[in-house]
Amino acid sequence: DAGVIQSPRHEVTEMGQEVTLRCKPISGHNSLFWYRQTMMRGLELLIYFNNNVPIDDSGMPEDRFSAKMPNASFSTLKIQPSEPRDSAVYFCASSLYTSGSGKTQYFGPGTRLLVL
Amino acid sequence: DQQVKQNSPSLSVQEGRISILNCDYTNSMFDYFLWYKKYPAEGPTFLISISSIKDKNEDGRFTVFLNKSAKHLSLHIVPSQPGDSAVYFCAASINTNAGKSTFGDGTTLTVKP
């Protein structure tokens, strides 16, 4: 298996522009997570889906952030409009969750976002 | 309120010696704990885990100990190797939370040759 795939790997954009990050989870996994990593705040969970349904989006910083999972093999995280403070590494992770097991998450390589 | 804490931002040990990384948690509902390792420019990778019904789990050079009464877990690496140099994240989860884990801030381990 190719693992979790994220694109782009690097993104440089100007303040005010829309940014879309993409994630393809491991085939067969039913949970998907979006994280943001910064020096100041560490690894933060932004939102997670179970069976394509958003379960908890309490970590999404504000309305400028939105995430979708239209099917089991694809998810997007969108920032509109982007701001310099959004600069971070964004990770997508997936897992095969079943009650009582399957809590190991498999992370993608991350997207390094720089907003100028 | 940070529910999972790794109080040591960094740790340096000599090759061949033991590395001990510590993690404390506050939520008594957590019943599954994991350690992840992260190299620069890569995503975290799963290392080892432990269920709350156990107090020790071993996998090769890596052993995780869980002290539920103290809400404390530790990761032991014996012997430490230079390739173990990475950031180590502690994570905790609740069985019914669809796999959601709460992560600590990480500890940077440096193993010197």
Side-chain angles (χ1 to χ4, degrees):
Chain A
D1 198 316
V4 175
I5 299 173
Q6 291 187 248
S7 65
R9 292 293 308 274
H10 303 274
E11 178 80 25
V12 180
T13 190
E14 293 187 344
M15 183 174 64
Q17 296 297 306
E18 177 179 295
V19 175
T20 299
L21 310 181
R22 297 173 175 80
C23 176
K24 177 178 169 56
I26 292 173
S27 177
H29 281 188
N30 59 358
S31 292
L32 183 139
F33 307 82
W34 281 102
Y35 292 89
R36 177 172 69 175
Q37 185 183 28
T38 61
M39 289 293 292
M40 292 297 294
R41 301 176 68 91
L43 194 63
E44 300 176 89
L45 176 65
L46 300 178
I47 184 171
Y48 75 99
F49 298 82
N50 188 239
N51 294 321
N52 310 340
V53 176
I55 303 299
D56 183 353
D57 65 353
S58 59
M60 296 286 260
E62 49 197 275
D63 291 345
R64 297 185 297 107
F65 286 69
S66 63
K68 294 183 180 179
M69 192 165 186
N71 56 63
S73 59
F74 184 66
S75 177
T76 59
L77 177 67
K78 186 173 294 185
I79 309 172
Q80 166 63 18
S82 58
E83 296 182 3
R85 60 192 168 121
D86 302 329
S87 298
V89 181
Y90 291 81
F91 289 104
C92 175
S94 70
S95 71
L96 176 59
Y97 172 72
T98 57
S99 179
S101 66
K103 299 174 185 64
T104 301
Q105 295 181 21
Y106 296 83
F107 284 77
T111 295
R112 189 173 295 273
L113 174 65
L114 177 61
V115 183
L116 302 174
Chain B
D1 176 33
Q2 195 167 15
Q3 298 188 56
V4 178
K5 293 183 180 180
Q6 295 177 254
N7 292 317
S8 298
S10 63
L11 175 68
S12 181
V13 300
Q14 206 67 35
E15 180 178 7
R17 306 296 289 268
I18 184 172
S19 296
I20 300 176
L21 296 95
N22 294 302
C23 178
D24 296 294
Y25 61 96
T26 57
N27 189 341
S28 58
M29 296 292 291
F30 288 140
D31 57 6
Y32 199 81
F33 305 88
L34 310 96
W35 285 93
Y36 290 82
K37 179 169 70 174
K38 183 184 180 304
Y39 292 119
E42 295 182 10
T45 56
F46 170 73
L47 186 59
I48 192 170
S49 63
I50 187 167
S51 165
S52 60
I53 62 174
K54 295 184 176 181
D55 55 17
K56 177 183 174 182
N57 188 27
E58 189 172 355
D59 183 3
R61 297 186 296 114
F62 303 91
T63 303
V64 56
F65 295 91
L66 175 62
N67 183 333
K68 289 187 291 293
S69 61
K71 295 190 178 66
H72 176 84
L73 65 155
S74 60
L75 174 68
H76 292 212
I77 306 173
V78 182
S80 302
Q81 300 173 354
D84 296 328
S85 298
V87 178
Y88 289 79
F89 290 98
C90 170
S93 64
I94 302 171
N95 184 41
T96 55
N97 267 11
K100 174 185 175 182
S101 288
T102 301
F103 283 78
D105 286 342
T107 296
T108 299
L109 173 66
T110 302
V111 181
K112 298 180 179 179

